[in-house]
Every structure is written in structure tokens, then in C-alpha cells.
Amino acid sequence: MKRLLLAAVAALLAVALPVAAQQQGVTSDTVTIGAHGPITGPAAYIGLAGRDGMLLAIKEINAAGGVNGRKIVAVFEDDGHAPTKALAAVKKLVEQDKVFAVMSVGGSNATVGAVDYMKEKGVPYYVSIASAPQVTWPHARNLFRGGTTETARYGELYAEFLATHYKAKRIAIMSGREEYPRNEGDATVDKLKNWFQMAPAVRVEFNIGDKDFTPQLVEVQKANPDVIAFFGNPAEAAIAMRQAKELGLKQSFFVGSNMVDPGLVMVAKSTAEGVMGFSLIPYLPGSKAPDMVKWEAAWKKEYPNAPAGRPNNFDLLAYGDTYVLAEGIKRAGPSLTTDGLIRALEGIQNYRVGPVATPRTFSTKHHIGNLALVPMVVKDGQWEPVQWSSTRQSDILNRYQ
């Protein structure tokens, strides 16, 4: 009797052990990925695009056979561009939906709310769009930054461009009070000081969704800057540029990378002419480059009833990063585990799905996938590349050594 009982227990263990060892979010024929971004609220233009770009990539990947025989399944949550909502979203994805990994296709303001939880859980967290420093510094083994770059890198490039291309001596900075634009402004001020021994002629702040920038622009006008650096959202920039013109300000505007997008030209119209900024992608939607035309045709076939201004940069960023994540899953092999995916991603060097994306490179020391940005200017209603290259070595990777 005892022998029979032991045999029964052994048989139960033989069945139970593989189940216990099963990787969360992974079955024999699927791998479930969670994602979050704002699809409601003032930053919905980011999250809706991020979601759609991601889903287009997943559809293409699955149509081509999936990854190592598994189809990718996506579960998406609205984070409302709020830290508390992003935390609730990732908790649901990890604890209820049991996803294998999570992508953030939202902004910094929300993503910072999820970072500590994701570090604690150890679930792979791939951030496509948010540039908040907390994502990659301090270094956490399960957190990766994709198409966007670290805020400090924005500061390096912006400061150098303002000082050397504009040859500006007096710089006005207008920045939003939320996470992303405030970080951009802080990083630019830091590098102006440390690299060029310059302080802003004036710095003013505003709230997301503001409609009247007259008080801030009056302060800028008094400071008489050579250029105005604006960090916020396209809708706010369009209003500020129009009101600046009405007040008689003739200074050029330089904008943050999230506004180097056809959407800014669409809402700002002629007041956007001459505006400069840095792009995170080689081509913008609307470009006549053959690869961009081909990609945009595929996107429009998938989303034929999309509103004006789409696709935008965030469609492209999330699209490219979904392929990077899929490449990591592929390299991790059929026996997919969290550790296997992390090691696979850390081995990726200069990978990109095609010419519409910038290359991604990770290492065991840092997880900042992209340090390359393209300077652009609005000319005749279109964003065009500017012939300028950085001559200063980035300080970013030094701290990871």
C-alpha cells in the first residue's frame, strides 16, 4: 500500500513539475505581451499611435509564422498619461493577464509610475517612447529603452545644436511642468552650463493643455533671446508660436523631439516654418523615400479610416521596437524564459527591422538602445534633414562603465 502511495505521489509530481516550471505568458504556441499607453486624454496622440504601430508589427510577425513557432498575443491597457494609471495597468498585465513581458508605448509622465513595480517583479519591461531617466538609470537588468533615447542625450544634442548651429548666446526655454518636458528642459540647461558655460536668458513653465502662453511669452520678450527652445506637446507649441507672432516676437523656435512630427505642421501651419528639432527616426511619415512610402502604404491598408496626422512618429517607434522585442524572443530560443530574453536582448547590436527605423544596440552594462538623432527643419511645410553633426563625445555611457 505504501509503495502504491509513493508511486501515485511520484506520478503527480511528474505532472505538476512541468506546470510549475512553465514560464508566465508562454505556451507551446503563443507568447503574450502586455502594453500600455495613453489612448485617452491630452497625450492620446502618443498612445493610439504606439498601440497601432505595435499591432501592425505583431500582425506582420504572426503572418510570417510567428516567433519560433509561437504567435504573439497582445493585451493593451490605457494609462491615461498618468503615473497611477500606468502602475494599475502594469499590475493588471503582470498579475491578472500573466504576460511574459510588457511594452510601454506611452509618455514619460505615466511610465515613471510603473518603473519601480516592474523592477521589483523582474518582468521584462521594454520602453519604446518614454525618455524618463528612471527607465535606464540606475541600471536594472529587466528594463530596456528602445527607439527613444535617454533624456540626458537630448540635453547634450539640444545644447550643442543651440550653441553651435544657431550660434545662440541668449536662449529662452519654455518647458511644461510634467515629467517629459521638464526633464528635457533640465537636461538642456545642464549641458549649456557644463559644456558651454551658458545659462538660459530666461526659463518659463506651463501646464499641459494650456491655451494662453501670453504671460510666459511676455517674459521671453523682455529677455530678448536669440532663439526660443520649447518643450511640451504639439498643440501647446502651435498656440505658443502663433501667440509669439502676434506679440511681435521674431525669434526662431527649437522644439523637443516629440514635436518633430507632421502633426506639428498640421496644427501650426505657416507658423511652423523654420522650426527646428531632432527626430528619433530616419524618415518622417509623408517622406517620399521608397522605404517610407512602402511602410506607410502597409500602415494605411491596416488603418484606412485613421484621422488626419496619422501615421505619426510614435507609430514608427512602436513598430520598430516590437520587431526588436520579437528578435530578442527569437534569439532566446524555443525554451523561452525571462532570463533567456534578457540575455538575448543584451546581445543585440545595430539591429533594425529596416531603413524606416534607427538601429538598436544593447549590452550587459547599459540598455539604452538608441543614441542617434537626426536634426530637422520645417521647410515649405515639410520636415527636412539639416546638415549638422555633433562633434562632442556623449557623456551618457560613462556612468555605466
Side-chain angles (χ1 to χ4, degrees), residues 38-367:
I39 57 174
T40 57
Y45 71 98
I46 298 174
L48 289 169
R51 180 196 64 185
D52 292 349
M54 177 191 74
L55 292 178
L56 175 60
I58 288 174
K59 183 173 183 178
E60 292 178 353
I61 293 164
N62 286 343
V67 184
N68 296 332
R70 294 185 176 99
K71 297 295 178 71
I72 298 176
V73 177
V75 182
F76 194 92
E77 293 292 323
D78 179 13
D79 66 30
H81 200 52
T84 53
K85 290 184 178 180
L87 176 58
V90 294
K91 280 187 174 182
K92 177 183 178 295
L93 291 168
V94 171
E95 297 174 19
Q96 295 182 37
D97 299 312
K98 304 293 184 182
V99 300
F100 171 62
V102 177
M103 280 188 71
S104 165
V105 293
S108 295
N109 202 55
T111 301
V112 292
V115 166
D116 288 342
Y117 173 83
M118 295 303 295
K119 285 181 180 179
E120 175 190 337
K121 291 299 179 181
V123 173
Y125 190 38
Y126 191 108
V127 175
S128 178
I129 294 167
S131 61
Q134 298 94 317
V135 173
T136 41
W137 183 257
H139 176 71
R141 188 166 181 263
N142 64 308
L143 270 62
F144 292 80
R145 186 190 304 284
T148 186
T149 192
E150 194 154 338
T151 309
R153 182 59 177 157
Y154 289 135
E156 290 180 341
L157 290 170
Y158 295 176
E160 186 179 1
F161 192 77
L162 289 165
T164 63
H165 184 79
Y166 281 101
K167 296 183 170 33
K169 302 299 181 185
R170 297 179 60 79
I171 300 166
I173 294 181
M174 300 179 67
S175 55
R177 293 187 177 93
E178 61 170 316
E179 188 77 22
Y180 168 70
R182 186 182 68 246
N183 288 340
E184 275 195 314
D186 289 348
T188 304
V189 169
D190 178 71
K191 283 306 174 190
L192 284 172
K193 177 183 177 181
N194 292 322
W195 280 7
F196 300 100
Q197 295 72 54
M198 295 171 60
V202 64
R203 182 174 182 179
V204 294
E205 294 186 327
F206 55 86
N207 295 317
I208 187 170
D210 277 355
K211 298 289 192 282
D212 183 11
F213 296 87
T214 304
Q216 293 93 335
L217 289 167
V218 168
E219 288 190 51
V220 169
Q221 192 171 39
K222 290 177 181 176
N224 192 29
D226 301 315
V227 61
I228 302 168
F230 190 98
F231 306 124
N233 289 315
E236 298 147 9
I239 295 170
M241 288 188 291
R242 175 177 54 79
Q243 292 175 346
K245 188 174 182 180
E246 291 169 354
L247 287 169
L249 278 77
K250 299 185 183 302
Q251 289 90 343
S252 297
F253 270 76
F254 172 88
V255 298
S257 68
N258 66 314
M259 289 178 279
V260 181
D261 182 278
L264 176 64
V265 181
M266 184 180 70
V267 293
K269 299 182 171 59
S270 62
T271 55
E273 197 70 15
V275 170
M276 291 187 178
F278 279 83
S279 172
L280 290 163
I281 49 180
Y283 307 113
L284 299 183
S287 167
K288 301 305 179 186
D291 290 293
M292 190 66 233
V293 171
K294 181 181 178 182
W295 181 85
E296 201 162 351
W299 188 96
K300 289 180 176 178
K301 182 179 180 181
E302 185 67 16
Y303 306 109
N305 300 314
R310 297 283 308 284
N312 65 27
N313 295 6
F314 304 110
D315 286 279
L316 274 163
L317 286 172
Y319 174 86
D321 279 320
T322 302
Y323 268 96
V324 177
L325 184 57
E327 179 68 14
I329 293 172
K330 177 183 176 182
R331 296 186 188 191
S335 300
L336 183 58
T337 64
T338 293
D339 185 67
L341 173 62
I342 291 171
R343 286 188 285 106
L345 286 173
E346 288 179 335
I348 284 179
Q349 299 286 309
N350 292 316
Y351 171 83
R352 60 177 176 168
V353 62
V356 297
T358 46
R360 309 288 187 267
T361 294
F362 303 108
S363 75
T364 56
K365 291 183 178 180
H366 81 85
H367 291 169

Side-chain angles (χ1 to χ4, degrees), residues 357-390:
T358 46
R360 309 288 187 267
T361 294
F362 303 108
S363 75
T364 56
K365 291 183 178 180
H366 81 85
H367 291 169
I368 306 172
N370 178 30
L371 289 171
L373 286 84
V374 182
M376 293 198 172
V377 62
V378 177
K379 185 176 180 181
D380 298 326
Q382 299 288 330
W383 286 99
E384 295 185 3
V386 174
Q387 295 303 309
W388 178 88
S389 298
S390 172

